[in-house]
């Protein structure tokens, strides 16, 4: 993939103005989408599919905080999700256990919604930390740990979403 | 000095030529065709002034003559085995996928891939039956517009899986239609609404048709329709409400055994009762059965609501899921668009209104809105630009994946990924010396392969023998703008490449389509080769024009030797076009197409740069 930030004319950093990304995504996609070339020759159509696919992929990468953070670290030569690296603070491990227990004991939508709020707050807190660690301090070791915690928080959020479905009939 | 017009890249080189294109809503119960005339989307009527064509095909005799629409529907109870209603429910489906078989009066044949219906004209697949409906609409459009169509946008339920989409595309090809795009029905409806009202914000489209239910959440912002999430049930619709009434009639009349004629009759009466309850508080059900039994019952609105309450609830669960996937709460939805004849039911409108805490939008005819939106998209895709630019970004409705050890489904493309999309994943061998690998492509959200839809199976052969786990098989899923999938697999590590493209097992091969076309086409004597040559020449001519235009406007993107090379390829194709030798034209055409790939890429980069810096040419 060519540089995801450059594709949208954005500065490569973790802090991101979502509205600017969305606007750039729409502007770029409007130029390359296959629908704009429905009657063009096969070479152009193939190019359009490839470009539009790459634009969608870059947008997904930049939109999601975990993917964006991982992308920036990988560009700096660090693999944040190296399976050999299992370091995680005791405090965060305790926090994980607490969230898990809350998820398992949730018996109604209200309990899930309360947990969802706590998780969202933790995610925001980690994102602020990443802005500092990646953009200001270039603290790659610290950023890697924060990112791995944020990835856990994101997965936790997905589990909460699927738990909601068990209450739908 | 004369001013010369130069078209923008990607645009038609002949801006004044209006290309005839239509939007077709191929519905479970009814089908419609619409087109854009003088900038306004209109539904095309038949010779009797009817817009709606009931999606009913009756096979009249062994030679395959058919009757389609209202007159076929009228004979449904008289000739139930040869009159196919709601064929869309069987598209891309095997016999085991069909619930309620006992309620259907057809003689099904379990053909490989897709079920068939045995009629007086032989076993017919849902693809062939749907093609009969599309042929009637095509003829109607060509008569109304006075010319050949360049293509059609055909709508499908957003929740249709790959097999159902492929079947729909095959039906269109069988009817001689060039498919510009398969468009999701809720998205089509949003286009019709959005462009009408110039709205911005997040909208929900609740689409309950005859046999399918879709819910889509879309964001409309500055000319872009972005589908955020979609969900639904491809086997839930107005037909199910009819069946609830039908079962109630059987129970009330104490009937357990019933012949196919009476079955069709009572299902028709059930549907009439449902429609009457739209604006009445009770409906009378009367029927004289072939057994001489007379049925006379009264169904009240309250009792109907009770009979169908679980069906209404079944539409709200996918609605909640779609909202969650979009990360939104009901209160964040700006408007709710109602689509599909079944949304006329007062109980549905009340339930949806209650869920979103707002009155749903019903100002466009729910039966026509999908066709109207499809026509607008067809007009754009055919190259007849509207004044304002807009773009549609749709999503994959159901996750796509591969079967792994233990019968588990590994998701590769997650649901609600924006189209077009490509995802790759690496797999490895599990036995020493393994030289082949069986790949099974599945679609669905469940963990077990057995609970997902099987789309295709293929083998990757020629893997060099290695110890278990050493091979690196990279499997790439590409989903195009129509939502159709192709899968490729290659062993990367050794440089040995095996490359396979799969089509779902339900898809028909080009040869099969050609054979079916020849069998069914009344003009089978038409020289197929002559027609192919004519089409090739038109395409080639268009490519020459487009490349010449591009060389004029964007010459700066190529160095002189590249310019000369492309110009040489253009001359080569022009030379071939002087003659009538198909193979030579095709060679020169392909050479030019390949040769301009890099040029096309640079022109796209240039247009992206212009868009990002905001210096669009029209601003100067």
């Amino acid at each position: 993939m060519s540089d995801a930030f450059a594709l949208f004319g954005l500065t490569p950093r973790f802090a991101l103005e979502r509205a600017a990304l969305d606007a750039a995504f729409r502007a770029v996609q409007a130029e390359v989408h296959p629908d704009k070339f429905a009657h063009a020759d096969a070479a152009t159509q193939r190019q359009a599919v490839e470009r539009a696919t790459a634009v969608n992929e870059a947008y997904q990468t930049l939109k999601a905080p975990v993917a964006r953070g991982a992308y920036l670290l990988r560009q700096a030569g660090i693999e944040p999700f190296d399976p050999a690296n299992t370091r995680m603070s005791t405090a965060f491990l305790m926090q994980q256990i607490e969230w898990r227990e809350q998820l398992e004991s949730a018996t109604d939508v209200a309990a899930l919604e309360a947990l969802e709020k706590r998780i969202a707050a933790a995610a925001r807190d980690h994102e602020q930390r990443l802005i500092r660690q990646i953009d200001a301090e270039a603290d790659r070791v610290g950023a890697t740990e924060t990112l791995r915690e944020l990835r856990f928080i994101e997965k936790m959020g997905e589990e909460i979403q699927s738990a909601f479905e068990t209450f739908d009939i | 000095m004369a001013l010369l017009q130069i078209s923008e890249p990607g645009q038609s080189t002949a801006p004044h030529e209006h290309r005839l294109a239509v939007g077709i809503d191929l519905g479970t119960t009814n089908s419609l065709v619409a087109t854009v005339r003088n900038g306004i989307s209109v539904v095309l009527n038949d010779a009797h002034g009817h817009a709606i064509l009931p999606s009913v095909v009756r096979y009249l005799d062994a030679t395959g003559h058919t009757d389609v629409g209202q007159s076929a529907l009228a004979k449904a109870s008289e000739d139930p085995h040869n009159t196919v209603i709601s064929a869309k429910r069987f598209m891309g489906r095997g016999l085991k996928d069909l619930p309620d078989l006992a309620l259907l009066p057809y003689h099904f044949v379990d053909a490989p891939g897709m079920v068939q219906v045995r009629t007086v004209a032989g076993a017919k697949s849902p693809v062939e039956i749907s093609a009969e409906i599309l042929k009637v609409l095509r003829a109607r459009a060509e008569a109304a517009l006075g010319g050949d169509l360049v293509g059609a946008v055909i709508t499908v339920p957003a929740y249709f899986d790959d097999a159902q989409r492929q079947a729909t595309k095959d039906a269109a090809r069988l009817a001689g239609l060039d498919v510009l795009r398969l468009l999701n029905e809720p998205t089509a409806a949003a286009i019709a609404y959005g462009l009408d009202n110039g709205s911005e914000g997040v909208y929900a489209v609740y689409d309950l048709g005859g046999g399918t239910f879709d819910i889509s959440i879309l964001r409309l912002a500055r000319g872009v329709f972005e589908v955020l999430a979609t969900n639904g049930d491809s086997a839930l619709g107005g037909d199910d409400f009819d069946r609830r009434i039908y079962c109630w009639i059987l129970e009330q009349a104490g009937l357990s055994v019933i012949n196919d004629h009476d079955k069709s009759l009572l299902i028709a009466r059930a549907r009439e009762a449902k429609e009457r309850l739209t604006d009445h508080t009770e409906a009378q059900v009367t029927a004289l059965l072939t057994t001489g039994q007379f049925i006379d019952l009264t169904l009240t609105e309250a009792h109907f609501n009770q009979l169908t309450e679980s069906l209404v609830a079944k539409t709200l669960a996918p609605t909640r899921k779609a909202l969650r996937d979009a990360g939104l709460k009901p209160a964040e939805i700006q408007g709710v668009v109602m689509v599909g004849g079944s949304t006329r039911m007062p109980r549905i409108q009340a339930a949806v209104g209650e869920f979103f805490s707002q009155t749903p939008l019903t100002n466009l005819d729910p039966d026509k809105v999908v066709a109207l939106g499809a026509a607008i998209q067809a007009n754009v895709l055919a190259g007849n630009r509207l004044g304002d630019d807009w773009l549609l970004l749709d999503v994959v409705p159901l996750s796509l994946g591969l079967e792994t050890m233990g019968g588990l489904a590994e998701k590769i493309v997650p649901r609600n990924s924006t189209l077009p999309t490509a995802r790759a994943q690496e797999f490895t061998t599990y036995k020493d010396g393994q030289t082949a690998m069986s790949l099974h492509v599945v679609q669905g959200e469940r963990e077990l392969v057995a609970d997902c839809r099987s789309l295709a199976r293929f083998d990757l052969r020629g893997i060099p023998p290695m110890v278990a786990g050493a091979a690196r098989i990279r499997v790439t899923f590409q989903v195009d703008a129509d939502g159709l999938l192709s899968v490729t697999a290659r062993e990367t590590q050794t440089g040995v490449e095996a490359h396979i493209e799969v089509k779902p097992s339900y898809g028909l091969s080009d040869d099969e389509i050609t054979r079916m076309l020849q069998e069914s086409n009344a003009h089978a004597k038409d020289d197929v080769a002559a027609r192919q040559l004519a089409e090739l020449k038109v395409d080639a001519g268009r490519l020459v024009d487009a490349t010449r235009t591009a060389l004029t406007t964007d010459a700066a993107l190529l160095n002189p030797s590249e310019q000369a090379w492309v110009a040489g390829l253009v001359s080569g194709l022009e030379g071939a076009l002087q003659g009538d030798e198909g193979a030579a034209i095709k060679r020169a055409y392909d050479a030019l197409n390949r040769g301009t790939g890099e040029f096309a890429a640079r022109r796209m980069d240039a247009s992206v740069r212009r868009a990002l810096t905001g210096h669009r040419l029209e601003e100067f």
Side-chain angles (χ1 to χ4, degrees):
Chain A
M1 176 168 59
S2 62
D3 185 80
F5 288 96
L7 189 52
F8 297 120
L10 298 169
T11 312
R13 58 170 189 221
F14 187 78
L16 178 87
E17 199 195 325
R18 180 61 191 272
L21 172 65
D22 288 355
F25 166 66
R26 287 193 286 261
V28 174
Q29 196 60 284
E31 297 299 324
V32 301
H33 196 275
D35 281 358
K36 297 280 163 185
F37 303 96
H39 266 274
D41 53 283
T44 307
Q45 284 185 348
R46 207 170 43 240
Q47 283 292 338
V49 171
E50 281 171 19
R51 293 295 156 108
T53 301
V55 168
N56 280 333
E57 192 185 340
Y59 180 59
Q60 291 308 323
T61 301
L62 299 193
K63 196 168 69 164
V66 171
R68 183 169 74 245
Y71 180 73
L72 284 164
L73 286 174
R74 282 184 191 127
Q75 283 200 317
I78 292 165
E79 174 47 60
F81 303 131
D82 181 355
N85 180 2
T86 53
R87 204 175 101 95
M88 217 169 245
S89 75
T90 318
F92 190 74
L93 287 169
M94 296 305 290
Q95 178 69 76
Q96 279 186 34
I97 293 168
E98 195 187 316
W99 282 333
R100 286 235 169 271
E101 283 170 358
Q102 286 169 351
L103 177 60
E104 274 152 33
S105 63
T107 51
D108 57 18
V109 171
L112 279 180
E113 280 174 348
L115 180 59
E116 192 184 20
K117 279 208 179 74
R118 283 194 289 277
I119 294 281
R124 275 194 302 276
D125 173 64
H126 277 71
E127 286 168 35
Q128 287 305 316
R129 216 186 296 168
L130 283 170
I131 291 176
R132 202 179 62 234
Q133 290 170 325
I134 296 179
D135 297 351
E137 299 166 357
D139 173 9
R140 287 170 190 154
V141 177
T144 300
E145 188 171 344
T146 310
L147 194 65
R148 289 173 52 243
E149 290 183 4
L150 184 58
R151 184 168 72 152
F152 176 84
I153 293 168
E154 203 173 69
K155 280 191 180 148
M156 192 73 203
E158 284 164 17
E159 282 178 46
I160 294 171
Q161 293 311 318
S162 34
F164 271 117
E165 289 185 15
T166 60
F167 294 112
D168 287 345
I169 290 300
Chain B
M1 190 182 82
L3 286 172
L4 300 177
Q5 286 190 320
I6 295 171
S7 70
E8 223 186 304
Q11 248 186 309
S12 158
T13 46
H16 300 302
E17 172 198 352
H18 185 83
R19 298 164 185 273
L20 303 178
V22 294
I24 293 178
D25 174 3
L26 180 61
T28 308
T29 318
N30 295 312
S31 296
L32 295 97
V33 57
T35 195
V36 172
R37 259 184 185 157
N38 305 321
I40 297 164
S41 187
V42 289
V43 171
L44 299 173
N45 293 344
D46 67 9
H48 308 290
H50 299 299
I52 285 173
L53 178 73
S55 302
V56 181
V57 177
R58 181 177 172 218
Y59 288 91
L60 300 173
D61 53 40
T63 59
H65 286 103
T66 57
D67 189 14
V68 178
Q70 193 57 51
S71 49
L73 180 60
K75 299 284 184 185
S77 38
E78 196 178 299
D79 188 17
H81 302 141
N82 298 312
T83 310
V84 188
I85 302 175
S86 301
K88 189 176 176 179
R89 293 192 89 142
F90 319 136
M91 290 289 263
R93 290 282 173 261
L95 197 58
K96 65 175 169 44
D97 304 318
L98 300 177
D100 306 334
L101 272 181
L103 291 173
L104 296 164
Y106 312 120
H107 297 304
F108 285 108
V109 184
D110 196 9
M114 206 185 312
V115 73
Q116 297 188 341
V117 178
R118 184 173 299 127
T119 70
V120 65
K124 293 290 173 187
S125 83
V127 169
E128 290 169 274
I129 298 164
S130 299
E132 295 298 335
I133 298 166
L134 290 172
K135 278 181 205 165
V136 170
L137 294 174
R138 177 188 163 198
R140 183 193 288 186
E142 288 182 342
L145 301 175
D148 286 344
L149 302 178
V150 299
V153 167
I154 315 246
T155 61
V156 289
Y159 219 53
F160 253 21
D161 64 30
D162 196 71
Q164 293 167 306
R165 282 169 199 269
Q166 192 68 55
T168 306
K169 206 166 184 178
D170 288 345
R173 290 166 65 201
L174 204 48
L177 284 167
D178 185 11
V179 180
L180 296 169
R181 180 84 125 78
L182 292 179
L183 181 62
N184 290 332
E185 288 160 10
T187 315
I191 292 172
Y193 262 93
L195 291 183
D196 247 33
N197 305 344
S199 330
E200 299 252 309
V202 180
Y203 286 76
V205 182
Y206 180 102
D207 180 356
L208 187 62
T212 55
F213 170 67
D214 280 330
I215 178 84
S216 287
I217 313 293
L218 297 103
R219 180 167 59 205
L220 277 64
R222 266 156 287 157
V224 178
F225 291 71
E226 187 183 359
V227 180
L228 300 177
T230 195
N231 213 300
D233 188 334
S234 60
L236 172 66
D239 288 2
D240 297 288
F241 289 74
D242 302 349
R243 296 227 178 89
R244 291 283 165 96
I245 300 177
Y246 166 78
C247 291
W248 171 81
I249 297 171
L250 291 189
E251 190 188 286
Q252 294 294 307
L255 291 163
S256 52
V257 184
I258 184 162
N259 65 38
D260 287 340
H261 174 278
D262 290 347
K263 197 186 274 180
S264 291
L265 177 68
L266 289 181
I267 287 174
R269 290 287 180 272
R271 187 172 158 194
E272 286 159 19
K274 176 190 74 178
E275 286 169 1
R276 184 164 172 83
L277 288 172
T278 297
D279 41 23
H280 295 83
T281 53
E282 58 178 51
Q284 211 68 27
V285 180
T286 54
L288 179 60
L289 303 186
T290 48
T291 56
Q293 185 177 355
F294 186 67
I295 288 173
D296 185 8
L297 299 164
T298 302
L299 179 62
T300 64
E301 186 187 0
H303 194 64
F304 170 65
N305 288 347
Q306 194 188 325
L307 287 173
T308 57
E309 196 51 44
S310 64
L311 296 175
V312 176
K314 258 176 104 172
T315 68
L316 295 179
T319 304
R320 277 190 214 99
K321 282 185 195 145
L323 276 172
R324 268 203 302 276
D325 280 350
L328 296 166
K329 303 279 177 221
E332 293 174 271
I333 301 297
Q334 203 121 348
V336 184
V337 173
M338 298 296 259
V339 185
S342 302
T343 60
R344 288 208 175 84
M345 284 187 270
R347 179 71 197 102
I348 294 285
Q349 295 195 3
V352 173
E354 195 186 329
F355 183 86
F356 287 102
S357 311
Q358 59 182 293
T359 311
L361 301 166
T362 51
N363 51 313
L364 289 182
D365 183 339
D367 283 324
K368 294 181 180 166
V369 62
V370 167
L372 293 173
I376 296 171
Q377 176 75 352
N379 191 51
V380 170
L381 294 182
N384 306 319
R385 289 291 185 106
L386 294 172
D388 50 339
D389 253 6
W390 53 283
L391 180 70
L392 238 181
L393 298 171
D394 227 314
V395 299
V396 180
L398 294 149
S399 302
L400 293 157
L402 277 182
E403 175 171 357
T404 59
M405 297 297 294
L408 295 177
E410 170 78 18
K411 288 185 183 125
I412 294 183
V413 178
R415 71 165 185 268
N416 292 324
S417 298
T418 305
L419 297 174
T421 187
R423 293 287 168 102
Q425 194 146 321
E426 287 198 346
F427 293 86
T428 190
T429 47
Y430 88 108
K431 266 189 192 158
D432 286 345
Q434 188 175 340
T435 58
M437 192 179 233
S438 245
L439 295 151
H440 182 199
V441 183
V442 297
Q443 185 161 30
E445 305 312 316
R446 306 283 291 276
E447 297 280 312
L448 293 176
V449 163
D451 298 325
C452 291
R453 171 152 298 276
S454 167
L455 291 180
R457 289 171 187 276
F458 67 101
D459 292 335
L460 175 68
R461 300 188 175 280
I463 303 170
M466 283 181 257
V467 294
R472 290 278 172 274
I473 317 293
R474 191 171 172 80
V475 181
T476 307
F477 279 47
Q478 168 82 50
V479 190
D480 68 14
D482 287 328
L484 290 171
L485 168 75
S486 65
V487 180
T488 59
R490 58 166 61 93
E491 206 291 315
T492 57
Q493 218 184 13
T494 54
V496 174
E497 279 198 359
H499 175 107
I500 297 157
E501 294 248 1
V502 285
K503 267 186 141 189
S505 38
Y506 296 107
L508 303 177
S509 70
D510 287 349
D511 288 351
E512 282 173 295
I513 294 269
T514 309
R515 180 184 54 74
M516 286 167 123
L517 263 175
Q518 281 166 347
E519 279 172 10
S520 68
N521 198 336
H523 312 290
K525 299 260 187 298
D526 273 4
D527 189 354
V528 179
R531 196 175 151 184
Q532 278 174 348
L533 177 64
E535 283 175 3
L536 177 62
K537 284 183 125 178
V538 169
D539 287 346
R542 197 181 285 155
L543 181 62
V544 166
D545 289 348
T547 312
R548 283 218 178 284
T549 308
L551 280 173
T552 317
T553 51
D554 291 319
L557 298 172
L558 297 177
N559 67 36
S561 73
E562 287 169 333
Q563 283 183 32
W565 187 56
V566 172
L569 291 172
V570 171
S571 311
L573 180 51
E574 280 178 325
L577 277 171
Q578 300 294 318
D580 280 322
E581 205 197 317
I585 298 173
K586 186 82 177 78
R587 263 198 311 278
Y589 176 74
D590 289 343
L592 179 55
N593 238 327
R594 273 195 308 275
T596 49
E598 174 60 24
F599 188 27
R602 289 185 203 167
R603 292 171 67 220
M604 254 176 242
D605 284 342
S607 69
V608 166
R609 278 196 299 276
R610 279 198 297 273
L612 282 176
T613 49
H615 295 305
R616 283 163 176 271
L617 285 177
E618 60 263 38
E619 285 171 11
F620 288 99

